[in-house]
Amino acid sequence: MQTEQQLQVLRSDAIQERRSANYKPTIWKYDFLQSLRSQYDGEEYKLRAEKLTEHVKAMFVEAQEELAKLELIDIITKLGLGDLFAHETQRALQAVLSSNKKIKNGEEDLYITALRFKLLRMHGYDGAFSITKCTEIKGLLELYEASYLAFEGENMLDEAKTFSREALMNIYSTLDTNTAEEVAHALELSTHWRVQWFDIKWRIAVYENNNNLDKSLLELAKLNFNSVQATLQKDLREISRWWRNLGIMEHLNFTRDRLAESFFCAVGLVYEPRYSCFRKCLTKITTMILIIDDVYDVYGSLQELEQFTQAVDRWDSSKIQQLPECMKICFQALHDITNEIAYDIQEVNGWNVQAVVHLRKAWTGFCKALFVEAKWYNEGYTPSLEEYLSNALVSSGGIVISVHSMLSLGTDEMIDLLGKNEDLVYNISIITRLCNDLGTSTTEKERGDAPSSILCYMREMNVSEKEAEEHIKKMISKTWMKINRQCLRTQPPDLLLPSSFVKVTVNVGRMVHLYQFGDGFGVQDRQTRNHILCVLIDPFHLGCL
């Protein structure tokens, strides 16, 4: 016999007018994803890549002059070959660092100064930097890119960014087509803020127009890209089978079915073939972040969300028995996927019972933060920007991803390090929320969602939407400066985070900059579709070897 409370919940569910985000079905069909196959993991391509790799190693030996070393490192990095030549790169940079050569007149060319500074800082070295006014395009472009590696308080690099940006914009109309394309690409989004692996095809197209470039580099870059893509396609086939077997979307018509986009996001965080298991873990996490976010933003009433949050907090399915069926399904999926991931961590890193505790704690914090936003929405409350961002640190999903990353890439004991050095995760989470808001605030405002950072600042400071957006963009720039100091300079030994974790975490910040081109999770726009085709579907066609 049903209790009066149960009957009240059933009656309220019957009359509950559910909100709708009008999300469209996925455009990436299961049969298509299962059909993806690559010939570029064959033995003949591996042998050719090995031969080209030896040729490029010889190029490091031949590069005696400092500028030749720097340009070779820069090209290799941009073509996605940095991991293949990590040892040679470090040796070359050490040679550059120990060199004290001076230009005779005491003033060095801006191009080599900016290029040296950029590469040394990218690899964790400190380098001197001075600016000379210059209108030479290569120098201006390198100066602009180098300025994005600034730490807080480096006013000279702030000035360099302003100066070089204005100069590049002023001479843009006079440039040849290829140079103009490079400048436009940099001004759209700096290299440091881009996901490197997503940029490789564009870089190869640019370098193919450079007749002075050794063609072996381009061929190796294409082979390497295709080889990695072959692994990614295998991962995508496997994770799409998992998604179909999970069967969750058959019961959820209010949320986003974005498996391919979630996998694409995981690739942006970690593309290397050896991280297949972790990449699939990240995909599972991202799909659940989207679903639970929609439970709170779109579907659930405040009473239902309170019960759902309590169930997650206690990890107790008995607390969801009065909820709508779809919310029960969401809870069960979260429960099962968390246990799946804990088991995978056990298989890779060795079992520690505390791992699953940390995973559950991360999801609990995420749900509680979403519930705070749901209460704001229901109460019609607009928080201050500071209050909003304090909660957004958790509701952005950054901590969920960070905890899973730390456990997947390290050990359970690594969580202690994360607790001692939370600034990096904090700042990446802020970048995640602010970039998300810039890309989705208009749609969310039209839909009547909880206030974004833009709306919070508009109401708090009584400014226009444009002024608020400019303030948010400045906050993003300042936050990146903090991230630069945390990830580009060696930390004290007791605060040192694993380099693999730092790389993945910083790539979260880079990944969310794609929001400036539109919200690819909500609306499957052409831009997002083309990104997925470029990175995951279409290889370079190399012909027979």
Side-chain angles (χ1 to χ4, degrees):
M1 184 174 179
Q2 292 175 316
T3 66
E4 179 60 28
Q5 184 181 15
Q6 288 174 320
L7 289 171
Q8 287 177 357
V9 171
L10 290 171
R11 283 195 293 268
S12 67
D13 189 47
I15 63 173
Q16 173 79 38
E17 185 177 343
R18 303 291 180 181
R19 299 167 64 210
S20 172
N22 295 314
Y23 294 128
K24 303 299 182 185
T26 181
I27 61 175
W28 303 102
K29 303 305 181 185
Y30 174 78
D31 289 343
F32 172 74
L33 297 180
Q34 288 300 306
S35 72
L36 296 176
R37 294 290 187 279
S38 176
Q39 71 188 54
Y40 295 106
D41 55 358
E43 192 63 28
E44 69 273 25
Y45 294 104
K46 292 179 182 178
L47 291 173
R48 177 60 179 164
E50 289 173 4
K51 184 176 180 181
L52 290 168
T53 298
E54 293 305 312
H55 176 77
V56 175
K57 286 181 178 179
M59 292 172 64
F60 275 94
V61 177
E62 296 165 5
Q64 294 296 316
E65 297 298 320
E66 181 178 357
L67 181 58
K69 293 180 189 294
L70 293 172
E71 288 185 328
L72 180 58
I73 293 168
D74 191 47
I75 291 170
I76 281 172
T77 302
K78 289 176 177 176
L79 292 178
L81 300 172
D83 286 348
L84 294 181
F85 303 101
H87 178 66
E88 290 78 9
T89 296
Q90 289 298 329
R91 286 180 57 186
L93 287 174
Q94 287 285 356
V96 167
L97 199 62
S98 62
S99 174
N100 292 311
K101 293 179 181 178
K102 302 289 183 182
I103 304 300
K104 289 182 180 179
N105 62 7
E107 190 173 273
E108 193 174 49
D109 176 71
L110 177 62
Y111 171 62
I112 190 172
T113 301
L115 182 60
R116 182 199 300 117
F117 171 83
K118 181 187 77 173
L119 293 174
L120 286 173
R121 180 156 287 190
M122 280 173 57
H123 288 84
Y125 299 102
D126 281 328
F129 193 82
S130 60
I131 300 174
T132 57
K133 297 297 182 181
C134 168
T135 58
E136 195 265 323
I137 184 64
K138 287 172 64 178
L140 287 172
L141 196 52
E142 281 304 328
L143 179 62
Y144 181 72
E145 294 285 19
S147 70
Y148 277 84
L149 297 168
F151 300 154
E152 281 184 295
E154 291 187 321
N155 297 330
M156 183 180 292
L157 286 171
D158 277 343
E159 295 170 9
K161 183 186 293 183
T162 301
F163 161 70
S164 56
R165 183 178 183 86
E166 290 178 356
L168 288 169
M169 293 177 71
N170 288 336
I171 64 175
Y172 179 78
S173 61
T174 68
L175 302 174
D176 63 79
T177 302
N178 291 334
T179 306
E181 187 177 352
E182 285 193 68
V183 170
H185 193 70
L187 293 176
E188 179 186 62
L189 190 66
S190 77
T191 300
H192 183 53
W193 287 8
R194 288 182 183 271
V195 177
Q196 182 197 39
W197 191 252
F198 294 174
D199 214 30
I200 289 171
K201 279 192 170 179
W202 185 87
R203 290 289 176 188
I204 287 175
V206 168
Y207 285 131
E208 281 186 317
N209 294 316
N210 184 346
N211 295 324
N212 297 321
L213 186 69
D214 191 310
K215 300 305 178 185
S216 297
L217 274 171
L218 290 176
E219 186 182 353
L220 180 58
K222 291 176 181 179
L223 277 170
N224 185 59
F225 182 90
N226 286 356
S227 174
V228 171
Q229 189 185 72
T231 299
L232 298 180
Q233 288 180 354
K234 179 176 179 290
D235 292 347
L236 183 53
R237 292 198 306 272
E238 291 178 1
I239 200 68
S240 68
R241 286 196 295 273
W242 167 85
W243 185 238
R244 189 184 201 188
N245 292 336
L246 188 66
I248 189 173
M249 297 310 299
E250 299 170 11
H251 309 282
L252 308 179
N253 58 9
F254 63 87
T255 191
R256 291 163 283 186
D257 183 358
R258 299 294 182 262
L259 188 278
E261 289 80 2
S262 296
F263 180 76
F264 175 71
C265 180
V267 172
L269 272 54
V270 56
Y271 72 88
E272 294 89 341
R274 65 184 180 276
Y275 290 122
S276 284
C277 184
F278 178 45
R279 198 159 33 246
K280 286 179 277 189
C281 165
L282 286 171
T283 306
K284 295 176 182 180
I285 297 164
T286 306
T287 58
M288 286 312 302
I289 286 175
L290 293 176
I291 290 171
I292 294 175
D293 185 59
D294 288 338
V295 167
Y296 282 84
D297 274 2
V298 177
Y299 186 82
S301 69
L302 195 61
Q303 181 186 10
E304 291 166 349
L305 295 177
E306 185 173 18
Q307 292 179 21
F308 188 88
T309 306
Q310 289 173 355
V312 174
D313 186 23
R314 299 172 187 174
W315 216 248
D316 183 358
S317 59
S318 69
K319 302 297 180 183
I320 63 168
Q321 296 311 308
Q322 297 172 4
L323 293 178
E325 189 65 25
C326 61
M327 293 181 73
K328 294 179 185 178
I329 291 170
C330 290
F331 177 85
Q332 193 61 49
L334 178 61
H335 180 278
D336 294 346
I337 288 170
T338 301
N339 287 338
E340 276 183 29
I341 291 171
Y343 179 80
D344 289 340
I345 292 171
Q346 169 193 349
E347 290 292 293
V348 175
N349 297 325
W351 177 248
N352 186 319
V353 71
Q354 291 301 310
V356 74
V357 173
H358 290 304
L359 299 184
R360 291 176 179 178
K361 184 179 178 181
W363 282 114
T364 297
F366 178 63
C367 290
K368 286 182 175 179
L370 291 179
F371 184 62
V372 168
E373 293 180 354
K375 286 196 293 186
W376 289 344
Y377 167 78
N378 276 270
E379 296 168 1
Y381 173 69
T382 303
S384 68
L385 183 59
E386 181 180 357
E387 185 181 6
Y388 172 86
L389 290 178
S390 178
N391 190 68
L393 163 65
V394 186
S395 70
S396 67
I399 290 178
V400 170
I401 291 173
S402 295
V403 170
H404 282 79
S405 300
M406 183 63 83
L407 290 171
S408 297
L409 296 171
T411 64
D412 184 67
E413 287 73 21
M414 288 292 187
I415 292 293
D416 293 335
L417 282 177
L418 184 58
K420 293 177 183 177
N421 192 346
E422 296 177 339
D423 287 348
L424 178 60
V425 174
Y426 173 85
N427 288 319
I428 289 295
S429 297
I430 294 302
I431 292 283
T432 302
R433 176 52 66 201
L434 295 180
C435 286
N436 186 313
D437 286 352
L438 282 175
T440 64
S441 63
T442 300
T443 301
E444 291 175 348
K445 185 169 64 175
E446 292 171 353
R447 201 166 64 210
D449 286 356
S452 68
S453 58
I454 296 170
L455 187 59
C456 290
Y457 188 75
M458 286 173 62
R459 292 180 177 175
E460 181 182 359
M461 305 304 294
N462 193 26
V463 298
S464 68
E465 184 173 5
K466 184 177 181 181
E467 289 173 305
E469 287 179 353
E470 287 304 312
H471 179 77
I472 296 304
K473 289 176 182 177
K474 289 178 181 177
M475 287 187 68
I476 290 171
S477 293
K478 289 180 179 178
T479 305
W480 264 113
M481 291 181 188
K482 296 176 183 177
I483 293 168
N484 289 344
R485 186 176 294 278
Q486 290 153 4
C487 71
L488 298 177
R489 176 172 286 177
T490 303
Q491 298 286 339
D494 62 329
L495 295 180
L496 195 61
L497 293 168
S499 60
S500 56
F501 171 79
V502 171
K503 183 177 180 181
V504 169
T505 304
V506 174
N507 275 339
V508 173
R510 295 180 174 127
M511 188 69 206
V512 295
H513 275 286
L514 288 177
Y515 275 109
Q516 78 175 61
F517 306 114
D519 174 15
F521 282 115
V523 181
Q524 295 167 297
D525 52 44
R526 181 178 300 178
Q527 192 78 33
T528 305
R529 177 180 177 275
N530 289 342
H531 279 311
I532 291 175
L533 286 171
C534 177
V535 175
L536 301 178
I537 311 299
D538 299 331
F540 287 104
H541 294 289
L542 303 176
C544 298
L545 295 181

